[in-house]
Amino acid sequence: MLWYVGKRLLQSIVTLFIIITIVFSLLRLMPEEGYLGAAAEKMSAAQKEVYLTNLGLRDPLLVQLGNFYADLLQGDLGKSVTYRTDVPVVTILADKIMYSLFFGLGAVGISLLIGVPLGILMAQMKGRWLDRLGTGYIVFVVAVPAAVYYLVIQMYITDIFHLPMLFDEYKPITWLLPLTSMALAPTASYAMWMRRYMVDELNKDYIKLARAKGVKERTLMFSHVLRNAFIPMAQYLPATILFTITGSIYIESLYSIPGMGGLLVDAIQRQDNTIVQGLVLVFSSLGIIGLILGDIAMALVDPRIKLGKGESVR
Amino acid sequence: MKQIKSRILAIENLVITFTLRGQVLTAIRGISLDLYKGESLAIVGESGSGKSVLMKSIMGLLDKNGSIAQGQIIYNGMDLALFNTEQQWLTIRGKEIAIVTQDPMTSLNPLKTIGKQIEECVVLHQGLKGKAAYTETLKLLTDVGIDDVEKRYKQYPHEFSGGMRQRIVIAIALACKPKILICDEPTTALDVTIQAQILQLLKSLQQKYSLTIVYITHDLGVVAKVADRIAVMYAGDILEVGHTHEVFFNGKHPYTWALLSSLPQLGLKGQPLYSIKGTPPNLFKEIKGDAFAPRNPFALKIDYEVRPPFFQVSDTHFARTWLLDPRAPKVEPPATLQAFFEEGRQYANER
């Protein structure tokens, strides 16, 4: 197991290294104005030159890359240029991440707590009213664009219950609607997949044998079916959780939550190269860590996945 | 016979129907069958003849759209046909009747060690716990011919070969300490050498655990090796039943003849292998007369009109064909079979 994790980590570091280098190189191809900020118009050509040299942008590319990695190892992602001039990128991210993380994890938590049991119940009562109700809900959430029901919730529910429209850190009641809105879609998807995997498992021969050997339906569900049905979901769960950090652009702007959601778009529009670079770094690391954790989670729950010597038997 | 046998299970005039898209399919059309203590009965028939459905109904494992429309299944003084709650069936499933399923590759839970899967039954049906259950599980593993049991106990199904997995499935069935063991095509998924081993194993376990075994199969080779009695099924009905040697060497129903003639072992060199013409009847429609009549070269006019009763051939041998009626014309079985029957009779006499 340790050997497997170690190997996967090493592979991921290499992948990350390649991604960062590519992003870094791509940004060097962008117009240099991005580093000058609002002052660009007032600067003379010579001033610009001095400024860029001071930033280290006139050094050979390899030296720049080396410096970038050296800073990175110290947790320094550079300073914002235009977004919040001269504030370290790390600080900007740290401010915003907490909001996105709170809402994201909250939504995932709620949707797991509701979606998974809902899926299980639907599978057990396949074809009966609960299953139909659940299917109706899933179809609704999948078919109606999120923007529509987000807006409807914000407009009408706030009206009916006399809730404030916008997010306020100090009023927990205002956290409720963004959380619920964000949880709707993942709840539907967990319920859908859980139902589907449960139904799949319930039709398998080993369930029939277990039933024939006199195992009670209830024991059968919990001791035999549940774990087997959850395996396919285990792989994606870590990545889903990690990606909550990136925030939801739509919800955050609807409720004016100062989260990560719109940051990348803003930074690109304002040509803030260092923030873009920092964000890409964060997002790609998340993706990679999510994949590793997913694989580890799979390996933990499924004994058929052989670890170590590169052999994998399915 | 060696001793007077006692009935352990009696099926009386059983009718099982399935509802499929609003249509009613009659899968079992009035079967009566007795099972005697300690015997091995083989139910043979082609795919779709209802062998598995019959056995599933004994354990209450019919699919949701299937139900017993008529008849009785008497076991231990109870009528299983009337059972309708899980509670009731739990007193039968595993405890009294256990099953060895067809495909060992898919019959085991891939995420549980085989030890745990066997132990589940030991705990459930023998009331053992902890160390005692563990020891019993190891003993069962040894009984089904698995070596290095302590290590094997901790392994998962994917670490076993097909034959080994079938042994595990058998161990699971034995762990229940059943009176009746149903083997649903126990060797279909295995290669020939392993087949022989598994059948041998089942035979020896039958002695050791004093089991009554029902084999469901379409492989007459298997039947010949293990069965005391044979029931030949076709289109949801039993057409002929008798001791193995009676059905094999003195078969009376044209369907039995047809089945035997299609055995490759009996085919003559240079001649095409016999195969039964036509297809089995549509069970959505009501069947008139003998279900096999349309495919039967010896069919009489009455075969299309009135369902034949069971004619008694000997104390233990019955066949449902009008050919046995005294008024019927004398019909000889096909030539290839006659030689086979003759050989069989001689063999039986020598013994």
Side-chain angles (χ1 to χ4, degrees), chain A residues 205-206 213 217 224 228, chain B residues 86 106 109 112 117 120 125:
Chain A
D205 283 353
Y206 71 87
K213 73 187 185 189
E217 260 340 276
H224 287 268
N228 302 33
Chain B
E86 191 193 12
T106 57
N109 186 336
K112 279 180 183 283
Q117 296 190 47
E120 191 175 21
H125 297 297

Side-chain angles (χ1 to χ4, degrees), chain B residues 148-166:
Chain B
D148 208 359
V149 284
E150 276 168 45
K151 183 180 147 219
R152 291 301 217 170
Y153 178 95
K154 295 193 206 81
Q155 290 187 327
Y156 291 93
H158 69 272
E159 294 170 85
F160 290 79
S161 67
M164 284 295 173
R165 286 192 213 186
Q166 193 60 298

